[in-house]
Amino acid sequence: MVKLNQFGFDISTRMLQRDLQSLYEQGCFGLEKDTRSKPYGWSINAQWRGGNTKVMSSEMAEHYLLLEQLLPQSIPNEIKQSVHIKAEQALKRFNGHVPDWLATLPKPSLKVNVDTQLVEQIEHAIKHKRAVSAELYRVLYDEAHWLKFAELSFYNLVEQGGVLMGQFMVGELHDKCYQMPVYRIRNVHILQKTRREPSAEQLKSLRSAINKGMSQEAIELVIKVPTHSAINQEFIELGELIDKQKVDDKNVLVTYQTIDTEQLTNELFKCAHWLEVIKPEKLRQRVISKLKAATTNYL
């Protein structure tokens, strides 16, 4: 800890206190303040000491944080690592507090723990072209089951939306290729049997099915919300705001241009006790169906 009267600068202690206070409030240079005595004692956070790294401006720091978010999965790991290091420095620039714009970016809707040993088994089977037996998590007639499959032929592992997916064929006769999250697979056993190889046409069929499942329809969403709600105050955004109309003293109609996704339906359902979906009708009916299903659990 260094006391201000020990700096030896040719300016007054009060002016130096003022300047250091200003830098402290801006989160600059990892400054820490000790208010147990006056004049205040000042120190530099250990994370900022000892390095020769150029001090990063707040604008540059935001650029690195945004760049880290936008990096595609396909770029080399060494580039990812170098950007990650810069992003870590950028967070230090903000004293570990993520800027508001970064905190509001969409987050993965699903977080799961993946069994690394299971992944290694599947990778081994793919590398050595071996078939496996395994259990797959399936939902049949609204009931979940682990079903035993005597023979599966895994041929690829891909990441989609932050979730690791296994691509495979079933048995000896089934012609379709399938894709399933790895966390829905368990009890993998490698067989003394060569796996099946999908044809180019079968792979094309799977890609077509995946792309169809990922296609998302653009819709005009109209909702009725209370005047003092977070949505009307624009703290919550459900898409691009294109219109807002007052209904009465208590309610407002808000219109968004947005994408119809399962995540949107779930967000609207969570707010259903104070928010009403007006249009489109099919989205309104999905929320109503969820409400009816929830009601049956409490009757």
Side-chain angles (χ1 to χ4, degrees):
M1 186 68 66
V2 179
K3 294 293 184 182
L4 287 174
N5 56 10
Q6 296 175 337
F7 276 116
F9 295 146
D10 293 329
I11 55 177
S12 70
T13 298
R14 180 174 297 178
M15 291 176 63
L16 187 54
Q17 279 275 19
R18 181 198 63 196
D19 291 342
L20 286 170
Q21 179 66 27
S22 177
L23 292 173
Y24 173 73
E25 291 172 353
Q26 295 177 57
C28 291
F29 314 119
L31 278 172
E32 294 184 345
K33 180 169 66 172
D34 185 354
T35 59
R36 291 175 296 181
S37 63
K38 288 191 176 181
Y40 297 144
W42 297 88
S43 63
I44 304 295
N45 187 292
Q47 293 179 321
W48 283 79
R49 293 198 302 265
N52 56 1
T53 305
K54 181 180 177 181
V55 175
M56 190 180 292
S57 69
S58 60
E59 182 180 10
M60 183 66 73
E62 289 192 354
H63 286 173
Y64 274 119
L65 288 171
L66 180 59
L67 178 60
E68 186 185 38
Q69 294 291 319
L70 299 178
L71 282 180
Q73 293 294 326
S74 57
I75 69 168
N77 285 331
E78 58 268 22
I79 296 178
K80 289 183 184 177
Q81 184 61 24
S82 63
V83 173
H84 178 69
I85 291 172
K86 288 291 187 181
E88 287 291 312
Q89 295 173 4
L91 273 180
K92 293 177 185 177
R93 170 65 182 83
F94 296 112
N95 281 348
H97 298 292
V98 177
D100 291 341
W101 62 265
L102 185 59
T104 57
L105 287 177
K107 296 177 176 58
S109 58
L110 183 64
K111 292 185 178 180
V112 295
N113 295 320
V114 176
D115 185 340
T116 55
Q117 184 178 357
L118 182 143
V119 174
E120 289 173 359
Q121 287 178 298
I122 296 176
E123 287 177 335
H124 181 87
I126 293 172
K127 180 180 178 180
H128 297 282
K129 299 185 177 182
R130 303 285 287 279
V132 305
S133 65
E135 293 180 7
L136 303 183
Y137 185 84
R138 302 291 299 276
V139 177
L140 304 173
Y141 305 108
D142 295 328
E143 292 187 1
H145 305 271
W146 285 98
L147 301 182
K148 173 76 173 181
F149 285 79
E151 183 181 327
L152 299 173
S153 295
F154 284 94
Y155 59 85
N156 199 14
L157 285 173
V158 297
E159 186 176 329
Q160 192 175 97
V163 178
L164 187 63
M165 314 285 279
Q167 295 179 341
F168 58 93
M169 301 182 75
V170 177
E172 296 181 348
L173 302 175
H174 207 285
D175 288 334
K176 284 189 177 181
C177 298
Y178 295 92
Q179 175 173 288
M180 176 175 285
V182 170
Y183 67 84
R184 290 190 173 184
I185 303 168
R186 73 179 188 184
N187 292 339
V188 170
H189 298 282
I190 298 175
L191 305 177
Q192 299 295 325
K193 185 175 184 179
T194 303
R195 73 156 189 246
R196 294 176 64 194
E197 294 288 346
S199 67
E201 192 63 30
Q202 288 168 330
L203 291 175
K204 181 180 177 181
S205 176
L206 176 63
R207 284 195 296 270
S208 176
I210 293 171
N211 291 334
K212 183 178 180 181
M214 293 177 64
S215 62
Q216 298 169 336
E217 179 186 358
I219 60 170
E220 191 171 279
L221 171 66
V222 182
I223 55 177
K224 185 169 77 171
V225 298
T227 302
H228 298 293
S229 67
I231 285 181
N232 189 47
Q233 301 298 324
E234 298 182 22
F235 291 119
I236 298 176
E237 295 181 350
L238 299 173
E240 180 185 353
L241 180 63
I242 59 176
D243 190 37
K244 189 183 292 187
Q245 296 181 16
K246 182 177 179 181
V247 177
D248 50 41
D249 290 340
K250 295 182 178 180
N251 298 290
V252 176
L253 282 181
V254 182
T255 304
Y256 292 103
Q257 190 72 36
T258 188
I259 302 297
D260 188 4
T261 64
E262 183 178 353
Q263 184 177 359
L264 176 64
T265 303
N266 291 336
E267 289 298 323
L268 295 170
F269 174 68
K270 286 190 291 186
C271 302
H273 58 292
W274 55 269
L275 172 154
E276 181 185 356
V277 177
I278 306 299
K279 295 180 181 179
E281 181 62 26
K282 61 180 180 181
L283 181 53
R284 177 184 173 90
Q285 290 303 319
R286 285 209 300 270
V287 175
I288 290 173
S289 296
K290 280 180 171 284
L291 287 168
K292 288 180 178 179
T295 301
T296 58
N297 291 333
Y298 292 92
L299 291 178

